[in-house]
Amino acid sequence: TSELNIANPFGCSSAPSQQKPPYLVNLGIDFLKFAWDPPEQPNGELLGYEVYRNATTLIASLNITDRVLEDTGLKPYTDYAYTVVVFNAMGNATSRPTTFRTFPKKPEGAINFNITDVKARSLFVSWMGPAQANGLISNYSVLSFNNADMVNPKLHYTGLGTVTSQALTNLLPFTNYTFYVTACNTGGCVNSQGKVVHTAAAAAEGVSPPTVANVYKTSFNLTWSFPTRPNGIISFFEIWMRSKALGISEQMVFSTSGYFDPRPTLQPLVVSSSPPLDQTVISGLKPFQQYEFQLVVENSYGRVGSAWVTFMTAETDPVCVEDPDI
């Protein structure tokens, strides 16, 4: 339908057609700025524009000279479709929708995660994405602090954003860990709250044999060290002795009990008490004879023995020297 009007510079008027879609000018995490050109066929004097977001939300009514719009207060990493409607006295024309996406923003909100199947050297961790991803999660990481180092976090796992669980291995036995999960997108990263986990005890490692501090004719002053990796609460030390030359089979010659917790006292689950002794005197031995000794350590997991070590008692004056034959 068209209308002839003597005051109309276009002559006959009809509804406009072929309105061009908007094109992107600028964007951010919470705004989109776009523009558009007039319709290819105005078919009369244009009166103004209306701009719709996602087909139904009218966000602006503009004069015919205004063809740039900035839509603000948007969500990060979200698609928005815009259509432009142009009017003249005879009707209107609508552009096809054009979709723009805001920039991502670093994730926000809580990351919930669970830790199960806790053993001496391994555990299983699973997690959910952050409350507001604000973009495509590119990777998750699992890190921890432990009672040996509360300053530098240790990375246990990092992987694709589609993975939400992982078995962690190579942990230290009998250690207080504070685990947390990190979620990242191209806008940044967010950390979960920390969760404290106490790995189980294991057999002590780095058990060295006793050393001799003083050697006498019929005794030794023995000393020993705590294991380099106690892996549990040390409750007993035992000294075992044997002598092949004298036909003495393995026998315990000393024991001491106490409580030694290798974890720092400021960490949870720690009780302070006196540790077992770390020295003793083994007496009643024969002069100038070889004896073998072993240190046995008992922790909350079990018992471990060191290698055997050999010491010789000091010499003494000869006895029962017979007169020479003449």
Side-chain angles (χ1 to χ4, degrees):
T1 302
S2 61
E3 179 181 278
L4 179 61
N5 187 335
I6 192 171
N8 183 357
F10 294 94
C12 291
S13 296
S14 62
S17 63
Q18 300 184 35
Q19 171 59 47
K20 295 182 178 181
Y23 55 88
L24 189 64
V25 174
N26 196 8
L27 76 162
I29 61 174
D30 59 357
F31 75 91
L32 291 166
K33 186 176 183 179
F34 51 92
W36 59 92
D37 295 325
E40 291 187 2
Q41 297 180 9
N43 297 333
E45 183 180 3
L46 299 178
L47 302 178
Y49 296 99
E50 289 182 348
V51 181
Y52 289 83
R53 181 201 306 137
N54 297 335
T56 58
T57 303
L58 175 64
I59 60 172
S61 296
L62 303 172
N63 295 325
I64 198 62
T65 56
D66 297 329
R67 296 199 307 272
V68 178
L69 180 64
E70 184 172 307
D71 193 12
T72 60
L74 306 179
K75 295 180 180 180
Y77 199 70
T78 302
D79 290 337
Y80 294 94
Y82 295 95
T83 52
V84 175
V85 180
V86 61
F87 293 88
N88 67 13
M90 297 300 295
N92 62 75
T94 302
S95 73
R96 61 177 175 82
T98 301
T99 300
F100 308 122
R101 176 179 291 173
T102 50
F103 275 144
K105 177 184 177 182
K106 84 171 190 175
E108 297 175 297
I111 300 176
N112 295 318
F113 70 103
N114 293 309
I115 295 176
T116 56
D117 197 24
V118 179
K119 299 177 181 177
R121 303 178 191 274
S122 65
L123 54 79
F124 188 80
V125 57
S126 58
W127 58 88
M128 298 178 63
Q132 295 173 267
N134 292 336
L136 184 65
I137 300 298
S138 56
N139 72 284
Y140 288 105
S141 300
V142 181
L143 303 96
S144 77
F145 296 99
N146 65 54
N147 46 239
D149 188 348
M150 294 299 294
V151 176
N152 302 301
K154 176 179 175 58
L155 176 64
H156 295 273
Y157 166 80
T158 186
L160 297 176
T162 55
V163 177
T164 56
S165 63
Q166 183 67 27
L168 304 185
T169 57
N170 298 320
L171 302 180
L172 298 174
F174 203 66
T175 300
N176 295 332
Y177 284 95
T178 301
F179 285 97
Y180 64 95
V181 177
T182 297
C184 297
N185 62 21
T186 55
C189 300
V190 65
N191 296 334
S192 72
Q193 294 292 319
K195 186 170 291 189
V196 176
V197 174
H198 177 67
T199 51
E205 299 173 282
V207 179
S208 299
T211 60
V212 61
N214 299 102
V215 178
Y216 302 100
K217 298 175 184 179
T218 59
S219 64
F220 293 115
N221 183 5
L222 298 182
T223 63
W224 53 89
S225 302
F226 283 80
T228 56
R229 294 181 295 279
N231 294 341
I233 295 173
I234 302 297
S235 55
F236 282 95
F237 285 132
E238 295 175 354
I239 297 295
W240 287 69
M241 184 185 76
R242 68 187 182 188
S243 175
K244 296 179 181 178
L246 299 175
I248 301 174
S249 59
E250 296 178 10
Q251 56 184 269
M252 185 179 67
V253 293
F254 176 77
S255 68
T256 175
S257 63
Y259 187 101
F260 172 73
D261 192 327
R263 298 165 298 181
T265 56
L266 293 180
Q267 294 297 316
L269 308 177
V270 174
V271 177
S272 297
S273 184
S274 298
L277 300 177
D278 59 359
Q279 62 178 326
T280 190
V281 174
I282 306 298
S283 57
L285 308 179
K286 293 184 177 182
F288 202 57
Q289 295 293 329
Q290 286 187 341
Y291 294 88
E292 295 180 81
F293 294 94
Q294 180 192 48
L295 174 67
V296 174
V297 178
E298 182 173 326
N299 68 6
S300 45
Y301 177 85
R303 295 162 57 88
V304 174
S306 72
W308 288 85
V309 63
T310 301
F311 304 122
M312 178 174 284
T313 50
E315 298 180 12
T316 188
D317 296 333
V319 294
C320 300
V321 178
E322 297 181 359
D323 294 333
D325 294 333
I326 298 177

